[in-house]
Amino acid sequence: MFSRFRSQPQFVAVLFLLLVATLPAIVRLPMSVSLVCLLPMILHLVPPGKLRKLGLVPLLCLLSFVIYQSFDSWFGGDAIMAFICGLLWLKSSEVSGKRDLWLIMLAVCIVVALNALFGISLWQMSHLFVVMWLLLFNVMALQSSSFHSAWRSIALRCTSYLCISLPFAAVLFFMLPRIPGPLWDLGIAMGVPVKMIQQEQRPSPITGTLKSGQANQNKGKDVAVLIAEFESMIPDNNTLYWRGAVFSHFDGSVWRLPDGWDSRRNVMNNRIRNKADLDKRVTDGSDIIRYQVRVAPHGSYWLYGLDMPFRSAPELVLSKEYQLMGIRPIEREFTYEMQSYLHYTIDATLGDEQRMRALQFPIDTNPKVMGLGRLWAGENKNDADTVAKAKKWFVDAKLTLRKGPSENVVDQSLDDFLFETHKGSAEQLAGSFAMLMRAAGIPSRIVTGYRGGKNIALTNIIVVKQEHAHIWLEVWLQGKGWQRIEPVDLLSGMGLNVPVVKIKTKEKATEIQDQNDRSKAKKQASTLACNKGGDCSWWESEIIARLSAWMQGVELWVVHFDAEKQMDVMEEVGFERGTVGKLLFFSGLSIVVLMLSYMLIPLLIASCLGHKDREKASMLYYRRFTKEMARRGCEPQEGECPSEYEQRLLAAFPEHDESLSSIMSLFIMIRYGGEDEDAALLTEVKQFLATT
Amino acid sequence: MSRNKARRHLALTPAGVGWLIVCVAAFVLATNYNNNIIFMFACLLFGVWLLASLLTYRNMSGVNSAPWQVTPCFAGGVAHYQVSLTSDDQREHFEIGCGQHSVDLINGVEHQWLHVEVPVSARGWFVPNQKMLFSTWPFGLWKVSKVTEDLPACLVYPEPCGSQPLPVVNQLSNDPQDMDELSGVRAYQSGDNLRRVDWKAMARTEQLTVKEFGGDESEKILWLSDNSVVKHVDKGDHQESDLRQLTRWVIDCHNAGVQYGLRIGNEKLTPGLGVGHYNNSLQMLALVSRG
């Protein structure tokens, strides 16, 4: 059986490729499914013919049955992956020619791509490269008519070709404009109107109170709140904060809006009246972004703008808490143009009334929170240090959020949340941070709204749904105004490195983040290496640290490279943000330049080497032959004539006397007889090397 | 060796189209799920696809072909065309093919023969279609082809077949005009032509002797003629079947080293032996005008 396999090495190589490509899936899938996926391998033991083909049917049925039993749905990721893997292994058992091998190899690419959907990591990337190398090797093996004798050379060439193709891949990877997915709503990009928001599916209105778990309650509903279309590219989803109601009053368990918040008179009284007033309040605004918003009807005055909206529009006003409001309840879809600063300073000075409201702490509630806040206030010289301290404390506290709808409303105090259960709602998380700040004497408030949205591919449109409901808080710092703090990011440690002070440019933020990540990785790696090995020399730890830092860099620049980062890089090299056309043009141009240089460089090298005489072919083959013989312990000696060498060879390898005599006599004929027998010598040498 | 500077044509192979489809699928998947790993994989696939076009084109450039050569063959078989390939640079060229065969031009090889087999069915001059040299090396995603010089016409001999035995000398019409002068007499052997028995000498010596003309060879000359082929009523095309039978006889005679002459209709080939005569005979059979 195995001898038959050996007679088809290309086929065996494709099987190996298939095994490597499906390995992550096989490891991940339930064992029963994995076994059934690999079961078709036994068909290779059956002689080709009817019996083998008959064996395919029960195996296919078994595969379908096991998948049906093991997964909830046929269309789940794992079910699809299992089915594809199983089908490929089945197909491998009835391969009848090159075309089938090609089919398997191309399908392997899809398997690898699907595998990557289950996780993004350096290991995935390494697996991808291994599969890519094997794929190229197999493709080259299929093209070669002398695979038996030339597989080493094919392996080397395939490695070099893979390296040569990397610049192409790099140019495409870094320069090809990134289209934000998903593509399900591609019809909208093609001009189909965005689906109207249905009347019976209104988003939940703001009620004037904010209880624990309230935001999560509506997250399960697939109801659109607003649709925004940007003039330029959509900023990073995580930076889109759609500002809604601002809560300052807390009674110990519930946050409340002021009385009369939903009356037209209050709305009009509480507005920023003119541009001069707004300019006085909002200073240092930068990164202006323009967009149009369509808000779903909800029957109240609330409208939404990106944090921080700075320009009003007809029929809407901006409250003193920078909340957009309509002048009448929104009973039907309402569209308005808006502009926002992505970076800003607001309310650099704070009035007494505002300060009192933002420092309100209900008596006899949450004493531990109060105590901790006061402790920090005593320890730190300024408010910024206190905020930094609080952030670090939140990261270290290992708090977790309740996400399931059934766990939404839980009546527990902030003290319980922070010091006992460590598990709570988004409201409790933001509220506890705000109250800690208040206890430390730093004004704070809760802001509700939405974060992010769903991008519609190939458009600048984003759909914000109820599921994007979000809560964050603002703290007021002397001279810096209200600063947004994202408590959810603190749970993952992400928000820790972002300085509280205003970030001037995003590049700087990225740089700081990168530096922090690198140094952290280096430190961690060194510690890990030394802990693990017990005693490791400085250079070992240095190497591990450098390697780890390099891998961290790769992860940052390759695995996590996204549209935003691409824009940042392009901006650094002098392109404008959002110029997709230019990106496309320059990526195309780069590819053309690369191709031209690949064509010209060999010509240049050839012209440089052109003066060198061509070595006689026979000498090349003879040298190849003697090299192989030397490897086998019979090296030609200095001053030894070919016939003497032949005698030694015959004595050393009597089993190959015919081939050796033939090769040596051909060489002697060519070298000393002037015969033109290069091709014959080549054939002999090749045959000899292949057969031995 | 003449240099062939014909233009090269680059085209996608079906595998190349499949590869491209996989690239697009990977791009779509990467975009849809915002997955960088898939995006990188798609870029790699596309990079390889682009590189393959360059490598394949480069593999074919610098390869020159000499004029095609062909040797005559028999109908029903294959015409073996061969062309000598050379490289005008120091590079290696892999899997340069034509039809089903391919060769490598390894660094420094003076030339390499590439063989192409073309099936032939009818006798006469066979004019094949133009052939292209091509290469899909290294990945089989692209195919670079290059028109070679026109293939020469191949002389196709009739297919040697027929089970009739070689005509026996005395049953054949040996032509006395072609015989030489009397060269001597020898003792009679069984099977000798009775006409050549020297009756006068027998009367004198009472021994049976036969006359020999033009040396000993005169006895072995066969005249192969279409008239000597036994005609079968049920066979449609008598001419072609006669020619096939004659071809069979010519080959048999040549293999047996028997001197033979050929006569078809009014055309005649004087008796002879050797490869030249053999080729001339077959050529004559191949080019008999169809009647």
Side-chain angles (χ1 to χ4, degrees):
Chain A
M1 188 53 53
F2 286 100
S3 63
R4 200 175 73 236
F5 280 173
R6 271 198 292 271
S7 66
Q8 298 166 331
Q10 285 107 327
F11 174 64
V12 178
V14 170
L15 280 190
F16 184 66
L17 166 71
L18 185 57
L19 183 67
V20 173
T22 54
L23 200 61
I26 286 165
V27 169
R28 192 185 56 251
L29 290 171
M31 188 171 278
S32 58
V33 180
S34 300
L35 285 175
V36 173
C37 284
L38 292 174
L39 210 55
M41 277 175 127
I42 59 166
L43 285 177
H44 293 291
L45 303 173
V46 180
K50 266 190 180 175
L51 193 63
R52 190 188 274 197
K53 281 191 178 169
L54 278 175
L56 291 174
V57 180
L59 282 178
L60 185 61
C61 294
L62 182 65
L63 176 71
S64 308
F65 177 74
V66 170
I67 290 173
Y68 175 75
Q69 287 289 315
S70 306
F71 303 107
D72 296 335
S73 162
W74 277 101
F75 300 104
D78 278 334
I80 291 173
M81 182 58 102
F83 195 66
I84 292 175
C85 289
L87 275 187
L88 279 177
W89 278 106
L90 278 172
K91 178 69 191 164
S92 73
S93 65
E94 57 126 26
V95 166
S96 59
K98 273 189 178 181
R99 206 174 66 170
D100 287 345
L101 291 180
W102 264 110
L103 193 71
I104 290 177
M105 287 191 294
L106 292 179
V108 154
C109 297
I110 300 295
V111 169
V112 174
L114 288 175
N115 259 332
L117 287 178
F118 292 90
I120 297 180
S121 66
L122 274 176
W123 293 115
Q124 289 275 6
M125 209 167 76
S126 313
H127 174 254
L128 184 144
F129 270 99
V130 170
V131 171
M132 193 71 201
W133 185 89
L134 281 172
L135 182 68
L136 291 189
F137 180 77
N138 275 282
V139 165
M140 287 183 75
L142 269 189
Q143 301 307 308
S144 173
S145 53
S146 52
F147 177 66
H148 275 287
S149 56
W151 68 270
R152 281 191 196 91
S153 136
I154 287 175
L156 282 174
R157 280 180 185 277
C158 130
T159 309
S160 66
Y161 291 157
L162 184 60
C163 294
I164 295 171
S165 68
L166 285 179
F168 283 110
V171 164
L172 290 168
F173 185 81
F174 288 111
M175 295 187 74
L176 209 64
R178 300 299 179 98
I179 303 164
L183 298 171
W184 311 126
D185 301 315
L186 205 60
I188 294 167
M190 302 295 178
V192 177
V194 177
K195 191 179 163 188
M196 299 303 287
I197 296 154
Q198 292 169 4
Q199 197 71 16
E200 64 270 19
Q201 285 191 327
R202 284 184 168 201
S204 306
I206 291 170
T207 57
T209 56
L210 182 65
K211 294 176 185 169
S212 171
Q214 195 172 310
N216 266 3
Q217 272 180 336
N218 294 318
K219 277 199 169 185
K221 296 177 187 170
D222 186 30
V223 180
V225 177
L226 64 92
I227 295 164
E229 184 170 6
F230 291 81
E231 274 188 16
S232 55
M233 275 191 79
I234 304 170
D236 181 15
N237 241 353
N238 284 333
T239 63
L240 300 180
Y241 285 87
W242 301 94
R243 193 179 178 89
V246 179
F247 293 85
S248 294
H249 182 78
F250 183 60
D251 66 5
S253 61
V254 178
W255 290 86
R256 292 178 195 282
L257 291 173
D259 292 338
W261 61 274
D262 54 348
S263 76
R264 180 185 164 90
R265 205 177 78 183
N266 277 346
V267 168
M268 298 308 286
N269 284 344
N270 193 35
R271 76 183 194 273
I272 297 173
R273 291 178 185 277
N274 50 48
K275 189 175 179 301
D277 191 13
L278 185 70
D279 290 345
K280 207 163 70 182
R281 285 165 162 265
V282 181
T283 51
D284 290 348
S286 63
D287 291 344
I288 297 173
I289 187 153
R290 296 175 176 82
Y291 52 98
Q292 188 189 58
V293 182
R294 279 168 63 191
V295 179
H298 50 68
S300 189
Y301 291 94
W302 305 108
L303 292 171
Y304 299 95
L306 272 181
D307 213 358
M308 181 57 68
F310 74 92
R311 178 117 345 142
S312 188
E315 296 198 21
L316 52 89
V317 294
L318 189 61
S319 76
K320 286 173 182 167
E321 287 83 28
Y322 308 95
Q323 159 73 63
L324 281 176
M325 311 283 276
I327 58 171
R328 60 179 65 88
I330 310 298
E331 296 293 352
R332 60 176 64 90
E333 273 192 18
F334 181 64
T335 305
Y336 52 94
E337 306 277 341
M338 188 45 61
Q339 292 180 40
S340 295
Y341 291 126
L342 288 183
H343 298 104
Y344 53 84
T345 302
I346 50 170
D347 293 344
T349 55
L350 200 63
D352 289 343
E353 190 194 337
Q354 266 186 309
R355 179 183 290 272
M356 276 183 65
R357 265 210 315 266
L359 284 172
Q360 176 258 345
F361 199 110
I363 305 162
D364 297 336
T365 59
N366 302 301
K368 289 182 184 173
V369 171
M370 177 61 88
L372 186 62
R374 284 185 175 165
L375 180 71
W376 288 343
E379 282 175 357
N380 296 296
K381 288 176 186 171
N382 58 49
D383 292 349
D385 290 346
T386 307
V387 172
K389 174 97 178 174
K391 281 182 171 185
K392 189 168 184 321
W393 189 90
F394 265 70
V395 171
D396 297 339
K398 309 282 183 208
L399 302 171
T400 52
L401 281 184
R402 294 174 197 273
K403 287 178 181 169
S406 60
E407 293 181 292
N408 284 331
V409 183
V410 177
D411 191 18
Q412 66 171 353
S413 68
L414 298 182
D415 276 2
D416 286 347
F417 165 59
L418 285 183
F419 303 104
E420 302 293 333
T421 63
H422 301 286
K423 195 172 184 181
S425 62
E427 289 82 357
Q428 284 176 328
L429 182 69
S432 56
F433 198 106
M435 296 316 287
L436 273 168
M437 292 297 99
R438 286 183 179 185
I442 300 169
S444 62
R445 60 191 183 188
I446 296 288
V447 185
T448 60
Y450 300 89
R451 187 182 183 187
K454 186 182 165 193
N455 292 11
I456 292 176
L458 299 173
T459 67
N460 289 340
I461 298 174
I462 196 166
V463 179
V464 179
K465 295 189 171 183
Q466 199 78 51
E467 67 188 71
H468 300 114
H470 192 64
I471 293 166
W472 64 96
L473 73 137
E474 288 176 336
V475 294
W476 188 88
L477 298 175
Q478 185 67 45
K480 292 161 190 166
W482 289 106
Q483 301 286 310
R484 183 173 59 227
I485 289 177
E486 179 49 87
V488 175
D489 286 353
L490 289 175
L491 298 191
S492 57
M494 278 169 62
L496 187 64
N497 294 315
V498 182
V500 178
V501 291
K502 182 192 164 225
I503 301 158
K504 278 283 178 196
T505 60
K506 285 189 108 178
E507 294 75 29
K508 201 163 181 179
T510 312
E511 198 179 308
I512 292 165
Q513 181 86 25
D514 292 355
Q515 279 172 1
N516 286 336
D517 287 345
R518 276 198 294 272
S519 57
K520 201 172 154 188
K522 204 170 168 179
K523 202 173 169 183
Q524 277 175 352
S526 302
T527 317
L528 191 72
C530 291
N531 286 345
K532 219 173 182 181
D535 53 339
C536 67
S537 59
W538 67 268
W539 59 269
E540 276 175 327
S541 61
E542 185 66 18
I543 286 172
I544 292 167
R546 278 179 188 279
L547 190 69
S548 179
W550 180 82
M551 285 169 79
Q552 187 85 10
V554 171
E555 191 152 353
L556 196 71
W557 281 99
V558 178
V559 179
H560 299 302
F561 189 81
D562 57 7
E564 187 65 16
K565 206 159 202 166
Q566 183 184 38
M567 282 297 153
D568 290 344
V569 173
M570 289 299 140
E571 203 171 38
E572 271 180 32
V573 295
F575 293 115
E576 289 172 37
R577 287 183 80 85
T579 52
V580 175
K582 270 188 187 174
L583 270 181
L584 206 59
F585 172 75
F586 281 107
S587 55
L589 190 70
S590 308
I591 290 291
V592 171
V593 170
L594 260 179
M595 289 190 88
L596 282 175
S597 50
Y598 275 16
M599 280 193 278
L600 292 175
I601 287 169
L603 291 178
L604 285 173
I605 293 171
S607 67
C608 290
L609 300 174
H611 65 279
K612 286 192 177 176
D613 291 334
R614 281 177 71 174
E615 192 167 14
K616 184 80 176 155
S618 51
M619 280 308 292
L620 287 175
Y621 305 142
Y622 184 68
R623 201 171 297 152
R624 197 185 296 175
F625 169 73
T626 53
K627 196 175 167 188
E628 180 61 27
M629 289 294 110
R631 202 176 64 80
R632 296 170 190 214
C634 194
E635 198 176 0
Q637 290 164 2
E638 207 172 334
E640 185 180 37
C641 75
S643 53
E644 289 168 347
Y645 182 47
E646 183 184 353
Q647 292 308 313
R648 280 207 301 121
L649 283 174
L650 291 174
F653 307 100
E655 66 276 19
H656 301 304
D657 54 348
E658 268 187 42
S659 302
L660 293 172
S661 298
S662 177
I663 290 171
M664 291 307 294
S665 51
L666 273 169
F667 175 70
I668 292 167
M669 272 166 63
I670 296 165
R671 187 83 172 135
Y672 303 107
E675 300 285 338
D676 187 14
E677 294 287 347
D678 283 20
L681 180 64
L682 169 68
T683 312
E684 282 290 338
V685 171
K686 267 175 122 176
Q687 205 172 348
F688 175 76
L689 296 178
T691 51
T692 60
Chain B
M1 187 166 293
S2 66
R3 277 194 155 199
N4 190 340
K5 290 287 180 188
R7 284 185 65 181
R8 292 175 291 269
H9 305 278
L10 184 70
L12 265 179
T13 61
V17 175
W19 191 280
L20 197 58
I21 290 171
V22 168
C23 280
V24 173
F27 269 118
V28 170
L29 207 61
T31 302
N32 200 47
Y33 293 101
N34 296 318
N35 189 304
N36 259 1
I37 295 282
I38 307 177
F39 195 78
M40 191 176 67
F41 184 57
C43 291
L44 256 179
L45 285 174
F46 195 67
V48 167
W49 186 79
L50 286 173
L51 182 71
S53 68
L54 279 181
L55 293 173
T56 311
Y57 194 83
R58 197 168 140 68
N59 188 48
M60 197 63 180
S61 64
V63 175
N64 294 315
S65 59
W68 285 90
Q69 296 175 12
V70 67
T71 48
C73 61
F74 292 96
V78 286
H80 292 274
Y81 281 90
Q82 61 175 11
V83 65
S84 170
L85 300 182
T86 54
S87 166
D88 63 0
D89 49 33
Q90 294 191 38
R91 287 185 296 115
E92 295 177 317
H93 304 270
F94 298 96
E95 303 297 331
I96 308 295
C98 189
Q100 300 293 317
H101 298 273
S102 59
V103 290
D104 294 343
L105 281 169
I106 308 293
N107 194 9
V109 171
E110 296 295 325
H111 69 93
Q112 189 74 274
W113 287 105
L114 178 63
H115 300 270
V116 175
E117 290 164 355
V118 185
V120 286
S121 55
R123 68 178 177 84
W125 288 107
F126 169 73
V127 183
N129 293 327
Q130 201 169 36
K131 289 283 172 192
M132 312 270 270
L133 287 179
F134 69 85
S135 174
T136 57
W137 180 265
F139 301 130
L141 305 179
W142 296 85
K143 180 177 181 177
V144 177
S145 47
K146 181 178 169 184
V147 178
T148 59
E149 288 190 18
D150 288 342
L151 275 74
C154 174
L155 183 62
V156 182
Y157 305 141
E159 186 182 358
C161 64
S163 53
Q164 295 180 31
L166 263 179
V168 181
V169 176
N170 55 13
Q171 288 177 336
L172 290 176
S173 55
N174 277 3
D175 192 345
Q177 293 166 1
D178 292 338
M179 290 186 181
D180 295 331
E181 292 177 354
L182 182 69
S183 60
V185 290
R186 62 168 172 80
Y188 173 81
Q189 288 175 349
S190 173
D192 280 344
N193 193 343
L194 290 175
R195 285 190 209 170
R196 293 192 185 178
V197 174
D198 189 349
W199 298 109
K200 289 178 184 174
M202 185 193 165
R204 284 198 305 273
T205 63
E206 293 184 353
Q207 283 184 344
L208 203 56
T209 54
V210 290
K211 295 179 212 170
E212 285 185 335
F213 296 93
D216 292 339
E217 297 304 314
S218 62
E219 282 304 300
K220 295 172 187 171
I221 291 173
L222 281 179
W223 277 98
L224 303 174
S225 161
D226 49 350
N227 292 328
S228 52
V229 181
V230 178
K231 306 288 190 291
H232 293 278
V233 180
D234 57 328
K235 285 194 176 172
D237 192 348
H238 283 297
Q239 188 195 24
E240 292 304 316
S241 59
D242 290 354
L243 290 173
R244 284 197 285 270
Q245 182 60 69
L246 286 169
T247 309
R248 174 82 267 157
W249 284 343
V250 168
I251 294 168
D252 291 346
C253 288
H254 176 71
N255 290 342
V258 177
Q259 198 172 13
Y260 60 94
L262 197 59
R263 184 185 296 135
I264 302 163
N266 298 326
E267 289 184 54
K268 194 171 69 178
L269 187 69
T270 51
L273 260 179
V275 176
H277 180 67
Y278 172 72
N279 288 341
N280 290 340
S281 308
L282 290 174
Q283 184 172 351
M284 185 179 162
L285 287 165
L287 299 178
V288 170
S289 57
R290 287 180 170 83

